[in-house]
Amino acid sequence: WYQRRVRAIIEILAHRSNVQRQQICITYRKIYQKDLLEELKSCLNGDFQDAVEAMVTDPVLFDVQLLHRALFELLTIDGELLAEIVCSRTNVQLMAIQEKYAEVYGDPGEKTETGQPLTLYKDIEKIFMESRLMSDRENAVEFVKKVLEDAYHREWSPKMSPSDRDEQSQW
C-alpha cells in the first residue's frame, strides 16, 4: 500500500515542472477544498516527505523558508546555505525572494519575533543588494560569509564567555 502510494507520487510529481506542480496543488484545493501538501504530509515521513514538500512548495517561498531557517532556527547561522541561495539566484530571483521574505516574516521592528536584533535584517539587505552586483560567484560567496561572520561576532560573541568564543570562532 505505502509503496504503491509512493510510486504514484513520484510518477506524478517527478515528471512535472514546478509550474505544473503548483497548478496541481491549486486544482486539488479547488476540487477537494484541502491543501495537497498537508494531505501528502499526513501519509509520508522522513526524507521522502521533505523532498515532496520541496517539490510542491513555490520555489521563492521555499528559498525564503530556507533563508529564515539558516538565520534564525538553527543553533548557528548557516552561512553556507545562505551563500548558496544568494549566490546561485539571478537578480530577478533575489528581488522576488527579498519581497517574499518581507511578506512572510514582516517588518521586524526593533527586534524580530525570535528576539534577534534588527541589525541582522539590515545585514541581510546588504547581502541581497551588494551580492546582486557581483559577477564573480566566488567573491560573492566570500562577501556573504564575511557579512554573516561580522554580524555573528557583533551580535553573539560579546555575550559569550571567552572559552565559548574560542569554540565558536568559525561557525
Coordinates of all heavy atoms in Angstrom, one line a residue, residues 8-79:
A8 N 3.2 6.3 -7.0 CA 2.2 7.2 -7.7 C 2.7 8.7 -7.5 O 2.6 9.4 -8.5 CB 0.8 7.0 -7.2
I9 N 3.1 9.0 -6.3 CA 3.5 10.4 -6.0 C 4.7 10.7 -6.9 O 4.8 11.8 -7.5 CB 3.8 10.6 -4.5 CG1 2.5 10.5 -3.7 CG2 4.5 11.9 -4.3 CD1 2.7 10.4 -2.3
I10 N 5.7 9.8 -6.9 CA 6.9 10.0 -7.7 C 6.5 10.2 -9.2 O 7.0 11.1 -9.9 CB 7.9 8.9 -7.5 CG1 8.5 8.9 -6.1 CG2 9.0 9.0 -8.6 CD1 9.3 7.7 -5.7
E11 N 5.7 9.3 -9.7 CA 5.3 9.3 -11.1 C 4.6 10.6 -11.5 O 4.9 11.2 -12.5 CB 4.3 8.1 -11.4 CG 4.0 7.9 -12.8 CD 5.2 7.6 -13.7 OE1 6.1 6.9 -13.2 OE2 5.2 8.0 -14.8
I12 N 3.8 11.1 -10.6 CA 3.1 12.4 -10.9 C 4.0 13.6 -10.7 O 4.1 14.4 -11.6 CB 1.8 12.5 -10.0 CG1 0.8 11.4 -10.4 CG2 1.2 13.9 -10.1 CD1 -0.3 11.3 -9.4
L13 N 4.7 13.7 -9.6 CA 5.4 14.9 -9.3 C 6.8 15.0 -10.0 O 7.2 16.1 -10.4 CB 5.6 15.1 -7.7 CG 4.3 15.2 -6.9 CD1 4.7 15.4 -5.4 CD2 3.5 16.4 -7.4
A14 N 7.4 13.9 -10.1 CA 8.8 13.9 -10.6 C 8.8 14.2 -12.1 O 9.8 14.6 -12.7 CB 9.5 12.6 -10.3
H15 N 7.7 14.0 -12.8 CA 7.6 14.1 -14.2 C 6.9 15.4 -14.6 O 6.3 15.5 -15.7 CB 7.0 12.9 -14.9 CG 7.8 11.7 -14.7 ND1 7.3 10.5 -14.4 CD2 9.2 11.5 -14.7 CE1 8.3 9.6 -14.2 NE2 9.4 10.2 -14.5
R16 N 6.8 16.4 -13.7 CA 6.1 17.6 -14.0 C 7.1 18.8 -13.6 O 8.0 18.7 -12.8 CB 4.9 17.8 -13.1 CG 3.8 16.7 -13.2 CD 3.2 16.7 -14.5 NE 2.1 15.8 -14.6 CZ 2.2 14.5 -14.8 NH1 3.3 13.9 -14.9 NH2 1.1 13.7 -15.0
S17 N 6.9 19.9 -14.3 CA 7.7 21.1 -14.0 C 7.2 21.7 -12.7 O 6.1 21.3 -12.2 CB 7.6 22.1 -15.1 OG 6.3 22.7 -15.1
N18 N 7.9 22.6 -12.1 CA 7.4 23.3 -10.9 C 6.1 24.0 -11.2 O 5.2 23.9 -10.3 CB 8.5 24.2 -10.4 CG 8.1 24.7 -9.0 OD1 7.3 25.6 -8.8 ND2 8.6 24.0 -8.0
V19 N 6.0 24.7 -12.3 CA 4.7 25.4 -12.6 C 3.6 24.4 -12.7 O 2.5 24.7 -12.1 CB 4.9 26.1 -14.0 CG1 3.5 26.7 -14.4 CG2 5.9 27.2 -13.9
Q20 N 3.8 23.2 -13.3 CA 2.7 22.2 -13.3 C 2.4 21.7 -11.9 O 1.2 21.5 -11.6 CB 3.2 21.1 -14.2 CG 3.2 21.5 -15.7 CD 3.9 20.4 -16.6 OE1 4.9 19.8 -16.2 NE2 3.4 20.2 -17.8
R21 N 3.4 21.5 -11.1 CA 3.2 21.0 -9.7 C 2.4 22.0 -8.9 O 1.5 21.7 -8.2 CB 4.5 20.7 -9.0 CG 5.1 19.4 -9.6 CD 6.3 18.9 -8.7 NE 7.4 19.9 -8.6 CZ 8.4 19.9 -9.3 NH1 8.6 19.1 -10.3 NH2 9.4 20.8 -9.1
Q22 N 2.7 23.3 -9.1 CA 1.9 24.4 -8.5 C 0.5 24.4 -8.9 O -0.5 24.5 -8.1 CB 2.5 25.8 -8.7 CG 3.9 25.9 -8.2 CD 4.1 25.6 -6.8 OE1 3.3 26.1 -5.9 NE2 5.1 24.8 -6.5
Q23 N 0.3 24.1 -10.2 CA -1.1 24.1 -10.8 C -1.9 22.9 -10.2 O -3.1 22.9 -9.9 CB -1.1 24.0 -12.3 CG -2.4 24.2 -13.0 CD -3.0 25.5 -12.6 OE1 -2.4 26.6 -12.6 NE2 -4.3 25.5 -12.1
I24 N -1.2 21.7 -10.0 CA -1.8 20.6 -9.4 C -2.3 20.9 -8.0 O -3.4 20.5 -7.7 CB -0.8 19.4 -9.4 CG1 -0.6 18.8 -10.8 CG2 -1.3 18.3 -8.5 CD1 0.6 17.8 -10.9
C25 N -1.5 21.6 -7.3 CA -1.9 22.0 -5.9 C -3.1 22.9 -5.9 O -4.0 22.7 -5.1 CB -0.7 22.7 -5.2 SG 0.7 21.6 -4.8
I26 N -3.1 23.9 -6.8 CA -4.2 24.8 -6.9 C -5.5 24.0 -7.3 O -6.6 24.2 -6.7 CB -3.9 25.9 -7.9 CG1 -2.8 26.8 -7.4 CG2 -5.2 26.7 -8.3 CD1 -2.2 27.7 -8.4
T27 N -5.4 23.2 -8.3 CA -6.6 22.4 -8.7 C -7.1 21.5 -7.6 O -8.3 21.3 -7.4 CB -6.2 21.6 -10.0 OG1 -5.7 22.5 -11.0 CG2 -7.4 20.8 -10.5
Y28 N -6.2 20.8 -6.9 CA -6.5 19.9 -5.8 C -7.3 20.7 -4.8 O -8.4 20.2 -4.3 CB -5.3 19.3 -5.2 CG -5.6 18.2 -4.2 CD1 -5.7 16.9 -4.6 CD2 -5.8 18.6 -2.8 CE1 -6.0 15.9 -3.6 CE2 -6.0 17.6 -1.9 CZ -6.1 16.3 -2.3 OH -6.4 15.3 -1.4
R29 N -6.8 21.9 -4.4 CA -7.5 22.7 -3.4 C -9.0 23.1 -3.9 O -9.9 23.1 -3.2 CB -6.8 24.0 -3.1 CG -7.4 24.9 -2.0 CD -6.7 26.1 -1.7 NE -5.4 25.9 -1.1 CZ -5.2 25.6 0.2 NH1 -6.2 25.6 1.0 NH2 -4.0 25.4 0.7
K30 N -9.1 23.4 -5.2 CA -10.4 23.8 -5.8 C -11.4 22.6 -5.7 O -12.5 22.8 -5.4 CB -10.2 24.3 -7.2 CG -9.7 25.7 -7.3 CD -9.6 26.1 -8.8 CE -9.0 27.5 -9.0 NZ -8.7 27.8 -10.4
I31 N -10.9 21.5 -6.1 CA -11.7 20.3 -6.2 C -12.1 19.8 -4.8 O -13.3 19.5 -4.5 CB -11.1 19.2 -7.0 CG1 -11.0 19.6 -8.5 CG2 -11.9 17.9 -6.9 CD1 -10.2 18.7 -9.4
Y32 N -11.1 19.6 -3.9 CA -11.3 19.0 -2.6 C -11.4 19.9 -1.4 O -11.6 19.4 -0.3 CB -10.2 17.9 -2.4 CG -10.2 16.9 -3.4 CD1 -9.2 16.8 -4.4 CD2 -11.2 15.9 -3.5 CE1 -9.2 15.9 -5.4 CE2 -11.2 14.9 -4.5 CZ -10.1 14.9 -5.4 OH -10.1 13.9 -6.4
Q33 N -11.1 21.2 -1.6 CA -11.1 22.2 -0.5 C -10.1 21.7 0.6 O -10.3 21.9 1.8 CB -12.4 22.4 0.1 CG -13.4 23.2 -0.7 CD -14.0 22.4 -1.8 OE1 -14.5 21.3 -1.6 NE2 -14.1 23.0 -3.0
K34 N -9.0 21.1 0.2 CA -7.9 20.7 1.1 C -6.6 21.0 0.5 O -6.4 21.1 -0.7 CB -8.0 19.2 1.3 CG -9.2 18.7 2.0 CD -9.2 17.2 2.2 CE -10.4 16.7 2.9 NZ -10.4 15.3 3.1
D35 N -5.6 21.2 1.3 CA -4.2 21.5 0.9 C -3.5 20.2 0.6 O -3.4 19.3 1.4 CB -3.5 22.3 2.1 CG -2.1 22.7 1.7 OD1 -1.2 21.8 1.6 OD2 -1.9 23.9 1.4
L36 N -3.1 20.1 -0.7 CA -2.4 18.9 -1.1 C -1.2 18.6 -0.3 O -1.0 17.4 0.1 CB -2.1 19.0 -2.6 CG -1.3 17.8 -3.2 CD1 -2.2 16.5 -3.1 CD2 -1.0 18.0 -4.7
L37 N -0.4 19.6 0.0 CA 0.8 19.3 0.8 C 0.5 18.7 2.2 O 1.1 17.8 2.6 CB 1.6 20.6 1.0 CG 2.9 20.5 1.8 CD1 3.8 19.5 1.2 CD2 3.6 21.9 1.9
E38 N -0.5 19.3 2.8 CA -0.9 18.7 4.1 C -1.4 17.3 4.0 O -1.1 16.5 4.8 CB -2.0 19.6 4.8 CG -1.5 21.0 5.2 CD -0.2 20.9 6.1 OE1 -0.2 20.1 7.0 OE2 0.7 21.7 5.8
E39 N -2.2 17.0 2.9 CA -2.6 15.7 2.7 C -1.5 14.7 2.5 O -1.4 13.6 3.0 CB -3.6 15.6 1.5 CG -4.9 16.4 1.7 CD -5.8 15.7 2.7 OE1 -6.1 14.5 2.5 OE2 -6.2 16.4 3.6
L40 N -0.5 15.1 1.7 CA 0.7 14.3 1.4 C 1.5 14.1 2.7 O 2.0 13.0 3.0 CB 1.5 14.9 0.3 CG 0.9 14.9 -1.1 CD1 1.8 15.7 -2.0 CD2 0.8 13.5 -1.6
K41 N 1.7 15.2 3.5 CA 2.5 15.1 4.7 C 1.8 14.1 5.7 O 2.6 13.4 6.4 CB 2.7 16.4 5.3 CG 3.7 17.3 4.6 CD 3.6 18.7 5.0 CE 4.1 19.0 6.3 NZ 4.2 20.5 6.6
S42 N 0.5 14.0 5.6 CA -0.1 13.1 6.6 C 0.1 11.6 6.3 O -0.1 10.8 7.2 CB -1.6 13.4 6.6 OG -2.2 12.9 5.4
C43 N 0.5 11.3 5.1 CA 0.8 9.9 4.8 C 2.2 9.6 4.4 O 2.5 8.5 4.0 CB -0.2 9.4 3.6 SG 0.1 10.2 2.1
L44 N 3.1 10.6 4.6 CA 4.5 10.4 4.3 C 5.4 10.7 5.5 O 4.9 11.3 6.5 CB 5.0 11.3 3.1 CG 4.2 11.1 1.8 CD1 4.6 12.2 0.8 CD2 4.4 9.7 1.2
N45 N 6.7 10.3 5.4 CA 7.5 10.7 6.5 C 9.0 10.8 6.1 O 9.3 10.4 4.9 CB 7.4 9.7 7.7 CG 7.7 8.3 7.3 OD1 8.5 8.0 6.4 ND2 6.9 7.3 7.8
G46 N 9.8 11.3 6.9 CA 11.3 11.3 6.7 C 11.7 12.1 5.5 O 11.1 13.1 5.1
D47 N 12.8 11.7 4.9 CA 13.4 12.4 3.7 C 12.5 12.5 2.5 O 12.4 13.5 1.8 CB 14.7 11.8 3.3 CG 15.8 11.9 4.4 OD1 15.7 12.8 5.2 OD2 16.8 11.1 4.3
F48 N 11.7 11.5 2.3 CA 10.7 11.5 1.2 C 9.7 12.6 1.4 O 9.4 13.3 0.5 CB 10.1 10.1 1.0 CG 9.2 10.1 -0.3 CD1 9.8 10.2 -1.5 CD2 7.9 9.9 -0.2 CE1 9.0 10.2 -2.7 CE2 7.1 9.9 -1.3 CZ 7.7 10.0 -2.6
Q49 N 9.2 12.7 2.6 CA 8.2 13.8 2.9 C 8.9 15.2 2.7 O 8.3 16.0 2.1 CB 7.8 13.7 4.4 CG 6.8 14.8 4.7 CD 6.4 14.8 6.2 OE1 6.2 13.7 6.7 NE2 6.2 15.9 6.8
D50 N 10.1 15.3 3.1 CA 10.9 16.6 2.9 C 11.0 16.9 1.4 O 10.8 18.0 0.9 CB 12.2 16.6 3.5 CG 12.2 16.5 5.0 OD1 11.1 16.8 5.6 OD2 13.2 16.1 5.7
A51 N 11.3 15.8 0.6 CA 11.5 16.0 -0.8 C 10.2 16.4 -1.5 O 10.2 17.3 -2.4 CB 12.1 14.7 -1.5
V52 N 9.1 15.7 -1.1 CA 7.8 16.1 -1.7 C 7.4 17.5 -1.3 O 6.9 18.2 -2.2 CB 6.7 15.0 -1.3 CG1 5.3 15.5 -1.6 CG2 7.0 13.7 -1.9
E53 N 7.6 17.8 -0.1 CA 7.3 19.2 0.4 C 8.1 20.2 -0.5 O 7.5 21.2 -0.9 CB 7.6 19.4 1.8 CG 7.2 20.7 2.4 CD 7.4 20.8 3.9 OE1 7.8 19.8 4.6 OE2 7.2 21.9 4.4
A54 N 9.4 20.0 -0.7 CA 10.2 20.9 -1.5 C 9.6 20.9 -3.0 O 9.6 22.0 -3.6 CB 11.6 20.4 -1.5
M55 N 9.2 19.8 -3.5 CA 8.7 19.8 -4.9 C 7.4 20.6 -5.0 O 7.1 21.1 -6.1 CB 8.5 18.4 -5.3 CG 9.8 17.6 -5.5 SD 9.6 15.9 -6.0 CE 9.2 16.2 -7.8
V56 N 6.5 20.6 -4.0 CA 5.2 21.2 -4.2 C 5.1 22.6 -3.6 O 4.1 23.3 -3.7 CB 4.0 20.4 -3.7 CG1 4.0 19.1 -4.5 CG2 4.1 20.2 -2.2
T57 N 6.2 23.1 -3.0 CA 6.3 24.5 -2.5 C 6.8 25.4 -3.5 O 7.7 25.1 -4.3 CB 7.2 24.5 -1.2 OG1 6.7 23.6 -0.3 CG2 7.3 25.9 -0.6
D58 N 6.2 26.6 -3.6 CA 6.6 27.6 -4.5 C 8.1 27.8 -4.3 O 8.6 28.0 -3.2 CB 5.8 28.9 -4.3 CG 6.4 30.1 -5.1 OD1 6.2 30.1 -6.3 OD2 7.0 30.9 -4.4
P59 N 8.9 27.9 -5.4 CA 10.4 28.0 -5.2 C 10.8 29.2 -4.5 O 11.8 29.1 -3.7 CB 10.9 28.0 -6.7 CG 9.8 27.5 -7.5 CD 8.5 27.7 -6.8
V60 N 10.2 30.3 -4.7 CA 10.6 31.6 -3.9 C 10.2 31.4 -2.5 O 11.1 31.7 -1.6 CB 9.9 32.8 -4.5 CG1 10.1 34.0 -3.7 CG2 10.3 33.0 -6.0
L61 N 9.1 30.9 -2.2 CA 8.7 30.6 -0.8 C 9.7 29.6 -0.1 O 10.1 29.8 1.0 CB 7.3 30.1 -0.7 CG 6.8 29.8 0.8 CD1 6.9 31.0 1.7 CD2 5.4 29.3 0.7
F62 N 10.0 28.6 -0.9 CA 11.0 27.6 -0.4 C 12.3 28.2 0.0 O 12.9 28.0 1.1 CB 11.1 26.5 -1.4 CG 11.9 25.3 -0.9 CD1 11.3 24.4 0.1 CD2 13.2 25.1 -1.3 CE1 12.1 23.3 0.6 CE2 13.9 24.0 -0.8 CZ 13.3 23.1 0.1
D63 N 12.8 29.1 -0.9 CA 14.1 29.8 -0.6 C 13.9 30.7 0.6 O 14.8 30.7 1.5 CB 14.5 30.6 -1.8 CG 15.2 29.8 -2.9 OD1 15.5 28.6 -2.7 OD2 15.3 30.4 -4.0
V64 N 12.8 31.4 0.7 CA 12.6 32.2 1.9 C 12.6 31.4 3.2 O 13.2 31.8 4.2 CB 11.2 33.0 1.7 CG1 10.8 33.6 3.0 CG2 11.4 34.1 0.7
Q65 N 11.9 30.3 3.2 CA 11.9 29.4 4.4 C 13.3 28.9 4.7 O 13.7 28.8 5.9 CB 10.9 28.2 4.1 CG 9.5 28.7 4.1 CD 8.5 27.6 3.6 OE1 9.0 26.6 2.9 NE2 7.3 27.7 3.8
L66 N 14.1 28.5 3.7 CA 15.4 28.1 3.9 C 16.3 29.2 4.5 O 17.1 29.0 5.4 CB 16.1 27.6 2.6 CG 15.6 26.2 2.1 CD1 16.3 25.9 0.8 CD2 15.9 25.1 3.2
L67 N 16.1 30.4 3.9 CA 16.9 31.6 4.4 C 16.6 31.8 5.9 O 17.5 32.0 6.7 CB 16.6 32.8 3.6 CG 17.3 32.9 2.3 CD1 16.7 34.1 1.5 CD2 18.8 33.1 2.4
H68 N 15.3 31.8 6.2 CA 14.9 32.1 7.6 C 15.4 31.0 8.5 O 15.9 31.3 9.6 CB 13.3 32.2 7.7 CG 12.9 32.7 9.0 ND1 13.0 34.0 9.3 CD2 12.4 32.0 10.1 CE1 12.5 34.1 10.6 NE2 12.1 33.0 11.0
R69 N 15.3 29.8 8.1 CA 15.9 28.7 8.9 C 17.4 28.8 9.1 O 17.9 28.6 10.2 CB 15.5 27.4 8.2 CG 16.0 26.2 9.1 CD 15.4 24.9 8.5 NE 15.8 23.8 9.4 CZ 16.7 22.9 9.0 NH1 17.2 22.9 7.8 NH2 17.0 22.0 9.9
A70 N 18.1 29.2 8.0 CA 19.5 29.3 8.1 C 19.9 30.4 9.0 O 21.0 30.4 9.7 CB 20.1 29.6 6.7
L71 N 19.1 31.5 9.2 CA 19.4 32.6 10.0 C 18.9 32.5 11.4 O 19.6 32.9 12.4 CB 18.8 33.9 9.4 CG 19.5 34.3 8.1 CD1 18.7 35.3 7.4 CD2 20.9 34.9 8.5
F72 N 17.7 31.9 11.6 CA 17.1 32.0 12.9 C 16.7 30.7 13.6 O 16.4 30.7 14.8 CB 15.8 32.9 12.8 CG 16.2 34.3 12.4 CD1 15.8 34.7 11.1 CD2 16.9 35.1 13.2 CE1 16.1 36.0 10.7 CE2 17.1 36.4 12.8 CZ 16.7 36.8 11.5
E73 N 16.6 29.6 12.9 CA 16.1 28.4 13.5 C 17.2 27.4 13.8 O 17.0 26.4 14.5 CB 15.0 27.8 12.6 CG 13.8 28.7 12.5 CD 12.8 28.1 11.6 OE1 12.8 26.9 11.2 OE2 11.9 28.9 11.3
L74 N 18.4 27.6 13.3 CA 19.5 26.6 13.6 C 20.3 27.2 14.8 O 20.1 28.3 15.1 CB 20.4 26.5 12.3 CG 19.7 26.0 11.1 CD1 20.7 26.1 9.9 CD2 19.2 24.6 11.3
L75 N 21.1 26.3 15.4 CA 21.8 26.8 16.5 C 22.9 27.8 16.2 O 23.2 28.7 17.0 CB 22.5 25.6 17.2 CG 21.5 24.6 17.8 CD1 22.3 23.4 18.4 CD2 20.7 25.2 18.9
T76 N 23.4 27.8 15.0 CA 24.3 28.8 14.5 C 23.8 29.2 13.1 O 23.1 28.5 12.4 CB 25.7 28.3 14.4 OG1 25.8 27.2 13.4 CG2 26.3 27.9 15.7
I77 N 24.3 30.4 12.7 CA 23.9 30.8 11.3 C 24.5 29.9 10.3 O 25.7 29.6 10.4 CB 24.3 32.3 11.1 CG1 23.6 33.2 12.1 CG2 24.1 32.7 9.7 CD1 24.1 34.6 12.0
D78 N 23.8 29.4 9.4 CA 24.3 28.6 8.3 C 24.7 29.4 7.1 O 24.0 29.6 6.2 CB 23.2 27.5 7.9 CG 23.7 26.5 7.0 OD1 24.8 26.7 6.4 OD2 23.1 25.4 6.8
G79 N 25.9 29.9 7.2 CA 26.5 30.8 6.1 C 26.6 30.1 4.8 O 26.4 30.7 3.8

